[in-house]
Amino acid sequence: MLSVGCSDSADRASPVPAPTPSGARLVVGSSLEEWNLLLIPTDGGQASLRDLADPGIVLWESAVQLPRVRTTVTTHGGLTALQQADGTVYRFEPRSDELTRVGAVKPGGSWTVAGDHLLYSNGADSSLFQMSREGNWRYKIGQRVEWASVVEDGGIAVLVGAGSRHELWFLRRGESAPAAKAEFPLFPPGVVTAWGRRVALMSGEDPPSVLQFIAVPELTVAGSEELDERAVAMEASASSHEVYVALADGRLLAVNRLTGVVRTLARFEAPVAAIRPVVLGGYLIVQSGGAAHRVDLDGGSRPLEGEWTADLPLGLPDGRVLVAREATVRIRTADG
Protein backbone atom coordinates (compact mmCIF):
# COMPACT_ATOMS: atom_id res chain seq x y z
CA MET A 1 0.00 0.00 0.00
CA LEU A 2 1.35 3.42 -0.90
CA SER A 3 -0.07 6.33 1.04
CA VAL A 4 -0.25 9.79 -0.45
CA GLY A 5 -1.90 12.75 1.22
CA CYS A 6 -3.85 14.71 -1.37
CA SER A 7 -6.35 17.49 -1.84
CA ASP A 8 -8.62 15.59 -4.23
CA SER A 9 -9.96 12.04 -3.80
CA ALA A 10 -12.46 12.00 -6.66
CA ASP A 11 -12.66 8.87 -8.81
CA ARG A 12 -11.31 9.54 -12.29
CA ALA A 13 -9.60 7.59 -15.00
CA SER A 14 -5.82 7.42 -14.96
CA PRO A 15 -3.93 9.75 -14.90
CA VAL A 16 -5.54 11.06 -11.72
CA PRO A 17 -5.73 14.80 -10.97
CA ALA A 18 -2.58 15.87 -9.16
CA PRO A 19 -3.11 17.30 -5.67
CA THR A 20 -0.64 19.16 -3.51
CA PRO A 21 0.11 16.09 -1.41
CA SER A 22 1.73 16.00 2.01
CA GLY A 23 3.37 12.98 3.61
CA ALA A 24 3.76 10.06 1.21
CA ARG A 25 4.87 6.73 2.55
CA LEU A 26 5.30 3.35 0.90
CA VAL A 27 3.70 0.76 3.16
CA VAL A 28 2.82 -2.92 2.90
CA GLY A 29 -0.14 -5.00 3.96
CA SER A 30 -3.29 -4.50 1.93
CA SER A 31 -6.00 -7.15 2.00
CA LEU A 32 -4.96 -8.05 -1.55
CA GLU A 33 -1.32 -8.44 -0.52
CA GLU A 34 -0.36 -6.09 -3.33
CA TRP A 35 1.27 -2.70 -3.55
CA ASN A 36 -1.54 -0.19 -3.81
CA LEU A 37 -2.10 3.54 -3.59
CA LEU A 38 -3.77 4.87 -0.44
CA LEU A 39 -5.10 8.37 -1.06
CA ILE A 40 -5.68 10.55 2.01
CA PRO A 41 -7.64 13.74 1.14
CA THR A 42 -6.10 16.70 2.98
CA ASP A 43 -9.19 18.81 2.24
CA GLY A 44 -11.44 16.36 4.07
CA GLY A 45 -13.44 13.39 2.85
CA GLN A 46 -12.93 9.67 2.40
CA ALA A 47 -9.66 7.81 2.04
CA SER A 48 -9.46 5.41 -0.88
CA LEU A 49 -7.27 2.50 -1.89
CA ARG A 50 -6.37 2.60 -5.60
CA ASP A 51 -4.95 0.05 -8.01
CA LEU A 52 -1.32 1.05 -8.51
CA ALA A 53 -1.38 -0.11 -12.13
CA ASP A 54 -4.40 2.12 -12.78
CA PRO A 55 -5.01 4.69 -10.00
CA GLY A 56 -8.45 5.42 -11.47
CA ILE A 57 -9.68 2.05 -10.15
CA VAL A 58 -10.96 2.27 -6.56
CA LEU A 59 -10.41 -0.95 -4.58
CA TRP A 60 -11.71 0.33 -1.23
CA GLU A 61 -13.13 3.51 0.24
CA SER A 62 -13.29 4.45 3.91
CA ALA A 63 -16.66 4.80 5.60
CA VAL A 64 -15.29 7.38 8.03
CA GLN A 65 -15.07 11.02 6.93
CA LEU A 66 -11.61 12.49 7.47
CA PRO A 67 -11.18 16.11 8.62
CA ARG A 68 -9.42 18.86 6.69
CA VAL A 69 -5.72 18.68 7.58
CA ARG A 70 -2.44 20.30 6.63
CA THR A 71 -0.10 17.30 6.94
CA THR A 72 -0.38 13.53 6.71
CA VAL A 73 2.35 11.03 7.53
CA THR A 74 2.16 7.22 7.46
CA THR A 75 4.14 4.30 8.83
CA HIS A 76 5.17 1.34 6.69
CA GLY A 77 2.24 -0.53 8.24
CA GLY A 78 -0.32 2.10 7.27
CA LEU A 79 -0.90 3.94 10.57
CA THR A 80 -1.49 7.58 9.62
CA ALA A 81 -1.21 10.82 11.58
CA LEU A 82 -3.36 13.72 10.35
CA GLN A 83 -2.30 17.18 11.58
CA GLN A 84 -4.51 20.24 11.25
CA ALA A 85 -3.29 23.82 10.88
CA ASP A 86 -3.84 24.55 14.59
CA GLY A 87 -1.79 21.49 15.61
CA THR A 88 -4.68 19.12 16.34
CA VAL A 89 -3.62 15.53 15.59
CA TYR A 90 -5.83 12.61 14.55
CA ARG A 91 -4.89 8.95 14.18
CA PHE A 92 -6.33 7.14 11.15
CA GLU A 93 -6.09 3.36 10.90
CA PRO A 94 -7.01 2.15 7.39
CA ARG A 95 -7.07 -1.52 8.46
CA SER A 96 -9.94 -0.90 10.89
CA ASP A 97 -11.21 2.30 9.23
CA GLU A 98 -11.06 4.16 12.56
CA LEU A 99 -10.37 7.85 13.18
CA THR A 100 -9.39 9.09 16.66
CA ARG A 101 -8.40 12.53 17.94
CA VAL A 102 -5.21 12.01 19.97
CA GLY A 103 -4.35 15.56 21.08
CA ALA A 104 -2.40 18.49 19.68
CA VAL A 105 1.16 19.54 18.90
CA LYS A 106 2.67 22.98 18.51
CA PRO A 107 2.80 23.92 14.79
CA GLY A 108 6.19 24.41 13.23
CA GLY A 109 7.74 21.03 13.97
CA SER A 110 8.29 18.01 11.73
CA TRP A 111 7.33 14.33 11.58
CA THR A 112 9.69 11.40 11.12
CA VAL A 113 8.86 7.73 10.51
CA ALA A 114 10.75 4.81 12.03
CA GLY A 115 9.33 1.34 11.63
CA ASP A 116 5.84 1.27 13.12
CA HIS A 117 6.27 4.59 14.93
CA LEU A 118 5.66 8.25 14.09
CA LEU A 119 7.53 11.01 15.93
CA TYR A 120 6.78 14.73 15.93
CA SER A 121 9.68 16.94 16.99
CA ASN A 122 9.48 20.64 17.76
CA GLY A 123 12.72 22.37 18.67
CA ALA A 124 10.93 25.61 19.58
CA ASP A 125 9.32 24.18 22.72
CA SER A 126 11.67 21.19 23.19
CA SER A 127 8.84 18.68 22.92
CA LEU A 128 8.32 15.31 21.25
CA PHE A 129 5.11 13.44 20.44
CA GLN A 130 5.23 9.72 19.58
CA MET A 131 2.50 7.62 18.02
CA SER A 132 2.20 3.89 17.35
CA ARG A 133 -0.53 1.28 17.37
CA GLU A 134 0.27 0.64 21.04
CA GLY A 135 -0.47 4.23 22.10
CA ASN A 136 0.75 7.83 22.20
CA TRP A 137 3.44 9.42 24.36
CA ARG A 138 4.62 12.97 25.05
CA TYR A 139 8.11 14.02 26.07
CA LYS A 140 9.18 17.35 27.54
CA ILE A 141 12.92 17.51 26.99
CA GLY A 142 13.75 20.83 28.67
CA GLN A 143 16.68 21.54 26.34
CA ARG A 144 16.96 22.49 22.70
CA VAL A 145 16.25 19.46 20.49
CA GLU A 146 18.65 19.35 17.54
CA TRP A 147 17.51 15.97 16.20
CA ALA A 148 15.39 13.03 17.36
CA SER A 149 14.14 9.69 16.08
CA VAL A 150 12.52 6.47 17.28
CA VAL A 151 15.01 3.62 17.74
CA GLU A 152 14.76 -0.07 18.61
CA ASP A 153 11.80 -1.19 20.77
CA GLY A 154 10.12 2.21 20.53
CA GLY A 155 12.71 4.17 22.51
CA ILE A 156 13.83 7.65 21.44
CA ALA A 157 17.31 8.92 20.56
CA VAL A 158 17.54 12.69 21.08
CA LEU A 159 20.42 15.06 20.33
CA VAL A 160 20.17 18.04 22.69
CA GLY A 161 22.27 21.11 23.39
CA ALA A 162 23.61 24.18 21.62
CA GLY A 163 26.87 25.41 20.16
CA SER A 164 29.73 22.92 20.41
CA ARG A 165 28.30 21.09 23.43
CA HIS A 166 25.83 18.33 22.56
CA GLU A 167 24.53 15.30 24.40
CA LEU A 168 22.88 12.25 22.90
CA TRP A 169 20.08 10.91 25.08
CA PHE A 170 18.28 7.60 25.06
CA LEU A 171 14.70 7.76 26.34
CA ARG A 172 12.64 4.73 27.17
CA ARG A 173 9.20 4.90 25.66
CA GLY A 174 7.02 7.28 27.64
CA GLU A 175 9.83 8.57 29.90
CA SER A 176 11.15 12.13 29.48
CA ALA A 177 14.14 11.57 31.79
CA PRO A 178 17.03 9.97 29.87
CA ALA A 179 17.81 6.35 30.71
CA ALA A 180 21.29 7.00 29.29
CA LYS A 181 23.17 10.00 27.95
CA ALA A 182 26.63 10.72 26.58
CA GLU A 183 28.42 13.84 25.41
CA PHE A 184 29.46 13.77 21.75
CA PRO A 185 30.46 16.53 19.29
CA LEU A 186 27.60 15.54 16.99
CA PHE A 187 25.24 17.53 14.80
CA PRO A 188 22.52 16.92 12.18
CA PRO A 189 21.71 15.63 9.65
CA GLY A 190 21.23 12.20 11.09
CA VAL A 191 19.44 8.89 10.55
CA VAL A 192 18.64 5.67 12.40
CA THR A 193 19.86 2.46 10.78
CA ALA A 194 20.62 -1.20 11.64
CA TRP A 195 16.92 -1.73 12.33
CA GLY A 196 16.93 0.83 15.12
CA ARG A 197 20.21 -0.19 16.76
CA ARG A 198 22.49 2.50 15.31
CA VAL A 199 22.31 6.27 15.06
CA ALA A 200 24.36 8.00 12.35
CA LEU A 201 25.20 11.70 12.80
CA MET A 202 27.95 14.04 11.69
CA SER A 203 30.93 14.88 13.87
CA GLY A 204 33.38 17.73 13.37
CA GLU A 205 32.44 21.27 12.32
CA ASP A 206 34.97 21.65 9.49
CA PRO A 207 36.30 19.26 6.83
CA PRO A 208 37.33 16.58 7.23
CA SER A 209 33.91 15.75 8.65
CA VAL A 210 33.17 12.34 10.14
CA LEU A 211 30.08 10.19 9.77
CA GLN A 212 29.76 8.79 13.27
CA PHE A 213 27.81 5.64 14.18
CA ILE A 214 26.54 5.36 17.76
CA ALA A 215 25.08 2.16 19.22
CA VAL A 216 21.76 2.45 21.04
CA PRO A 217 20.72 2.09 23.75
CA GLU A 218 24.35 1.82 24.96
CA LEU A 219 25.35 5.19 23.42
CA THR A 220 28.82 3.94 22.55
CA VAL A 221 30.83 4.59 19.39
CA ALA A 222 30.19 1.85 16.83
CA GLY A 223 32.30 2.98 13.88
CA SER A 224 33.01 6.06 11.77
CA GLU A 225 33.87 7.09 8.23
CA GLU A 226 35.84 10.21 7.35
CA LEU A 227 34.39 12.46 4.65
CA ASP A 228 36.12 15.38 2.96
CA GLU A 229 33.10 17.72 3.01
CA ARG A 230 30.21 18.48 5.33
CA ALA A 231 26.90 16.67 4.88
CA VAL A 232 23.66 18.46 4.05
CA ALA A 233 21.25 15.49 3.82
CA MET A 234 21.24 11.86 4.88
CA GLU A 235 19.06 8.76 4.58
CA ALA A 236 19.44 5.05 5.37
CA SER A 237 18.98 2.27 2.83
CA ALA A 238 15.98 -0.04 2.95
CA SER A 239 18.35 -2.91 3.73
CA SER A 240 19.86 -0.88 6.60
CA HIS A 241 23.46 -1.62 5.61
CA GLU A 242 24.16 1.66 3.77
CA VAL A 243 23.76 5.34 4.54
CA TYR A 244 23.30 7.79 1.68
CA VAL A 245 25.06 11.08 2.38
CA ALA A 246 24.71 14.26 0.30
CA LEU A 247 27.69 16.61 0.61
CA ALA A 248 27.70 20.39 0.34
CA ASP A 249 29.69 20.26 -2.92
CA GLY A 250 26.92 18.35 -4.73
CA ARG A 251 28.23 14.79 -4.40
CA LEU A 252 25.95 11.96 -3.32
CA LEU A 253 27.73 9.12 -1.51
CA ALA A 254 26.80 5.63 -0.38
CA VAL A 255 28.55 4.62 2.85
CA ASN A 256 28.52 0.93 3.71
CA ARG A 257 28.51 0.81 7.50
CA LEU A 258 29.55 -2.89 7.52
CA THR A 259 32.52 -2.80 5.14
CA GLY A 260 33.48 0.89 5.36
CA VAL A 261 33.37 1.24 1.57
CA VAL A 262 32.42 4.74 0.39
CA ARG A 263 31.39 5.20 -3.23
CA THR A 264 30.12 8.16 -5.22
CA LEU A 265 26.70 7.63 -6.77
CA ALA A 266 26.28 10.97 -8.54
CA ARG A 267 27.51 14.56 -8.77
CA PHE A 268 25.15 17.52 -9.03
CA GLU A 269 25.81 21.17 -9.81
CA ALA A 270 23.66 22.24 -6.84
CA PRO A 271 23.67 20.69 -3.35
CA VAL A 272 21.16 17.90 -2.72
CA ALA A 273 18.18 19.13 -0.71
CA ALA A 274 16.40 15.79 -0.15
CA ILE A 275 16.92 12.04 -0.61
CA ARG A 276 14.08 9.51 -0.92
CA PRO A 277 15.12 5.86 -0.74
CA VAL A 278 12.86 3.33 -2.42
CA VAL A 279 11.45 0.32 -0.60
CA LEU A 280 13.31 -2.80 -1.80
CA GLY A 281 16.16 -0.54 -2.95
CA GLY A 282 17.69 -0.31 -6.40
CA TYR A 283 17.58 3.45 -6.82
CA LEU A 284 16.99 6.77 -5.09
CA ILE A 285 14.89 9.85 -5.83
CA VAL A 286 16.94 13.00 -5.21
CA GLN A 287 16.19 16.72 -5.25
CA SER A 288 18.96 19.05 -6.42
CA GLY A 289 18.60 22.64 -7.59
CA GLY A 290 14.82 22.40 -7.34
CA ALA A 291 14.71 19.49 -9.81
CA ALA A 292 14.13 15.77 -9.28
CA HIS A 293 16.55 13.05 -10.34
CA ARG A 294 16.59 9.27 -10.35
CA VAL A 295 19.91 7.90 -9.06
CA ASP A 296 20.77 4.24 -9.60
CA LEU A 297 22.71 2.52 -6.83
CA ASP A 298 25.21 1.15 -9.33
CA GLY A 299 25.98 4.73 -10.40
CA GLY A 300 24.51 7.27 -12.79
CA SER A 301 21.56 9.65 -12.63
CA ARG A 302 18.92 11.09 -14.92
CA PRO A 303 16.38 13.90 -14.49
CA LEU A 304 12.72 13.25 -13.75
CA GLU A 305 10.36 15.61 -15.52
CA GLY A 306 7.98 16.44 -12.72
CA GLU A 307 7.33 18.77 -9.82
CA TRP A 308 8.95 18.18 -6.45
CA THR A 309 6.31 18.15 -3.71
CA ALA A 310 6.08 16.78 -0.18
CA ASP A 311 5.22 13.40 -1.74
CA LEU A 312 6.28 13.26 -5.35
CA PRO A 313 8.23 12.02 -7.25
CA LEU A 314 7.95 8.71 -5.42
CA GLY A 315 9.72 5.51 -6.47
CA LEU A 316 7.83 2.24 -6.62
CA PRO A 317 9.38 -1.18 -5.88
CA ASP A 318 9.14 -2.34 -9.50
CA GLY A 319 11.22 0.59 -10.78
CA ARG A 320 8.40 2.85 -11.86
CA VAL A 321 8.12 6.39 -10.49
CA LEU A 322 5.04 8.43 -9.63
CA VAL A 323 5.50 12.04 -10.79
CA ALA A 324 3.33 15.16 -10.72
CA ARG A 325 3.25 17.04 -14.00
CA GLU A 326 0.78 19.40 -15.66
CA ALA A 327 -1.84 18.95 -12.92
CA THR A 328 -1.84 15.15 -13.13
CA VAL A 329 -0.14 12.30 -11.31
CA ARG A 330 1.64 10.10 -13.85
CA ILE A 331 3.59 6.86 -13.73
CA ARG A 332 6.98 6.79 -15.42
CA THR A 333 8.34 3.40 -16.44
CA ALA A 334 11.69 2.14 -15.19
CA ASP A 335 13.33 2.81 -18.56
CA GLY A 336 12.07 6.40 -18.66
Side-chain angles (χ1 to χ4, degrees):
M1 185 188 310
L2 165 74
S3 90
V4 180
C6 66
S7 59
D8 188 347
S9 62
D11 298 345
R12 307 188 191 183
S14 181
V16 296
T20 305
S22 175
R25 202 67 181 168
L26 201 58
V27 298
V28 295
S30 75
S31 59
L32 302 178
E33 297 183 352
E34 298 284 351
W35 297 95
N36 294 307
L37 188 66
L38 177 65
L39 295 178
I40 305 291
T42 56
D43 59 354
Q46 294 170 286
S48 61
L49 188 66
R50 307 296 184 99
D51 187 333
L52 194 55
D54 184 355
I57 298 176
V58 179
L59 304 174
W60 167 86
E61 195 168 59
S62 67
V64 65
Q65 292 287 323
L66 304 181
R68 179 183 294 272
V69 296
R70 174 169 291 180
T71 302
T72 70
V73 61
T74 306
T75 69
H76 292 284
L79 179 68
T80 303
L82 309 173
Q83 181 187 340
Q84 296 184 309
D86 64 357
T88 300
V89 177
Y90 291 85
R91 168 207 301 268
F92 175 58
E93 176 55 85
R95 293 178 180 177
S96 59
D97 199 12
E98 294 181 348
L99 178 71
T100 307
R101 186 185 185 278
V102 295
V105 295
K106 186 173 181 178
S110 60
W111 291 91
T112 58
V113 181
D116 295 327
H117 293 258
L118 300 169
L119 183 68
Y120 184 83
S121 176
N122 193 322
D125 65 354
S126 301
S127 66
L128 301 172
F129 178 74
Q130 181 183 8
M131 179 189 297
S132 78
R133 285 193 170 88
E134 287 71 41
N136 313 298
W137 300 271
R138 291 184 179 276
Y139 305 83
K140 188 62 179 178
I141 303 304
Q143 297 192 42
R144 180 177 177 80
V145 176
E146 294 288 338
W147 174 87
S149 183
V150 180
V151 293
E152 187 181 27
D153 296 328
I156 308 289
V158 188
L159 184 66
V160 303
S164 60
R165 181 180 177 85
H166 288 89
E167 288 184 338
L168 188 63
W169 292 4
F170 170 72
L171 310 179
R172 292 192 177 93
R173 188 166 61 184
E175 299 180 4
S176 293
K181 59 182 179 179
E183 186 171 341
F184 291 107
L186 301 173
F187 60 91
V191 294
V192 173
T193 186
W195 297 278
R197 296 189 294 271
R198 295 289 185 273
V199 168
L201 288 150
M202 297 307 299
S203 178
E205 298 181 358
D206 298 305
S209 297
V210 175
L211 177 63
Q212 191 76 66
F213 294 96
I214 305 295
V216 288
E218 301 88 351
L219 302 186
T220 56
V221 175
S224 63
E225 296 298 333
E226 186 173 298
L227 308 176
D228 59 1
E229 181 59 85
R230 65 183 180 88
V232 295
M234 192 184 304
E235 287 291 344
S237 68
S239 62
S240 205
H241 75 287
E242 287 192 324
V243 174
Y244 307 119
V245 182
L247 303 182
D249 61 6
R251 282 176 293 159
L252 178 64
L253 308 179
V255 180
N256 190 309
R257 67 177 181 83
L258 301 178
T259 65
V261 173
V262 179
R263 66 187 195 280
T264 300
L265 298 179
R267 298 175 184 267
F268 299 96
E269 294 184 1
V272 171
I275 307 169
R276 290 178 180 163
V278 177
V279 171
L280 304 184
Y283 64 103
L284 307 171
I285 306 297
V286 172
Q287 182 189 27
S288 173
H293 303 265
R294 175 190 174 122
V295 178
D296 294 326
L297 295 186
D298 57 2
S301 67
R302 52 183 162 171
L304 290 170
E305 296 180 2
E307 305 163 18
W308 187 279
T309 72
D311 296 287
L312 306 173
L314 192 67
L316 306 181
D318 61 4
R320 296 178 299 163
V321 181
L322 284 176
V323 297
R325 185 182 177 192
E326 298 175 354
T328 60
V329 175
R330 305 175 182 220
I331 297 179
R332 291 196 59 168
T333 60
D335 60 8

